[in-house]
Amino acid sequence: MRLAELSERSGVSTATIKYYLREGLLAPGRQINTTTAEYDEEHLRRLRLIRAMIQVGRVPVATVREVLGHVDDDSLPRAMRLGAAIWSMPQVPEPEVDDEFIQGARAAMEGLLDTLGWPNARALTAHSPAFRSLVVAAAALRRLGYDWGPEQLAPYGRLMQQVAVLDLDFMETHESEAEKIEVAVLGAVLVEPMLQALHRLAQEEESTRRYGYE
């Protein structure tokens, strides 16, 4: 397809597509002559992924470029490609290492991973943005006088393990490695907010069931 058709099918203006091409987010099309290139379904799929990340996920262009670089790096095993792509997404900043609440929360969350029997996650705690987010949130609760430790969080962790199984089962229904990693990235950008919304709706439902409207 030509640029105009790619624009029409994707709903993205030709000017924006050209911008993505200049920024290296979208691979160049097959050059037909000096002024015309041809694009295929891979370009269309990638363009939709880019738009989802930027428009819905509010991911900066530079971060999108980094994430897509990991998605396309077929020199890495799947687990490393997946981890590198997700870790490139916007994350919470590094906390103060000398903060007593951070130190206590880190020890407690390491204990949580041990309780859950997650040795691979436990081995990555020094580098994992997800673990850092967990520690920062736990530390904030501690400052407010609420100590959510392994005992309270382990049941949630076991439920999340089931969610992870569903995530990867769905990812494996796609054929190419690039598609698999793209699905994982979309999960971080779009599915995680959906799960958060479902959590809140479930709370509303259960709260109303227990206490009514009065």
Side-chain angles (χ1 to χ4, degrees):
M1 73 188 88
R2 303 295 174 85
L3 183 62
E5 184 182 352
L6 180 62
S7 173
E8 181 179 357
R9 290 184 62 186
S10 65
V12 180
S13 70
T14 57
T16 300
I17 294 174
K18 289 177 181 178
Y19 170 69
Y20 292 159
L21 289 165
R22 289 196 303 271
E23 291 296 317
L25 304 184
L26 192 65
R30 184 175 66 85
Q31 207 68 35
I32 297 175
N33 54 47
T34 55
T35 60
T36 307
E38 190 171 62
Y39 303 90
D40 57 23
E41 296 298 323
E42 291 294 314
H43 287 93
L44 181 61
R45 194 185 78 244
R46 177 55 58 89
L47 188 54
R48 288 169 174 165
L49 173 64
I50 294 168
R51 292 302 275 175
M53 294 177 70
I54 292 176
Q55 285 196 324
V56 182
R58 304 298 181 188
V59 180
V61 168
T63 302
V64 173
R65 187 188 302 110
E66 184 178 358
V67 170
L68 294 179
H70 295 304
V71 169
D72 295 331
D73 187 357
D74 56 11
S75 69
L76 296 174
R78 182 185 302 170
M80 292 184 66
R81 288 172 76 183
L82 176 58
I86 299 302
W87 285 14
S88 297
M89 302 289 285
Q91 308 289 347
V92 299
E94 289 283 353
E96 294 290 336
V97 294
D98 296 330
D99 186 315
E100 64 176 302
F101 291 102
I102 290 292
Q103 292 175 347
R106 181 179 297 278
M109 295 305 101
E110 288 173 347
L112 170 64
L113 298 183
D114 292 337
T115 298
L116 292 169
W118 292 359
N120 298 309
R122 182 71 167 82
L124 295 172
T125 54
H127 309 287
S128 170
F131 182 75
R132 184 165 68 241
S133 296
L134 186 63
V135 168
V136 168
L141 282 168
R142 284 176 168 237
R143 288 190 184 93
L144 295 170
Y146 299 96
D147 186 7
W148 275 51
E151 183 178 348
Q152 290 78 22
L153 288 173
Y156 291 89
R158 294 187 183 99
L159 291 172
M160 288 300 102
Q161 179 79 52
Q162 296 177 44
V163 171
V165 169
L166 293 173
D167 289 341
L168 295 185
D169 284 349
F170 177 69
M171 183 183 75
E172 289 170 1
T173 64
H174 294 76
E175 294 184 3
S176 73
E177 284 299 308
E179 283 181 306
K180 288 179 171 65
I181 307 304
E182 285 178 6
V183 167
V185 171
L186 285 174
V189 174
L190 301 178
V191 178
E192 285 186 7
M194 290 172 65
L195 294 178
Q196 182 184 59
L198 280 172
H199 182 202
R200 292 177 179 173
L201 287 168
Q203 288 177 328
E204 292 172 8
E205 178 67 22
E206 181 62 15
S207 175
T208 303
R209 187 189 68 80
R210 292 192 186 194
Y211 311 122
Y213 289 102
E214 296 182 0

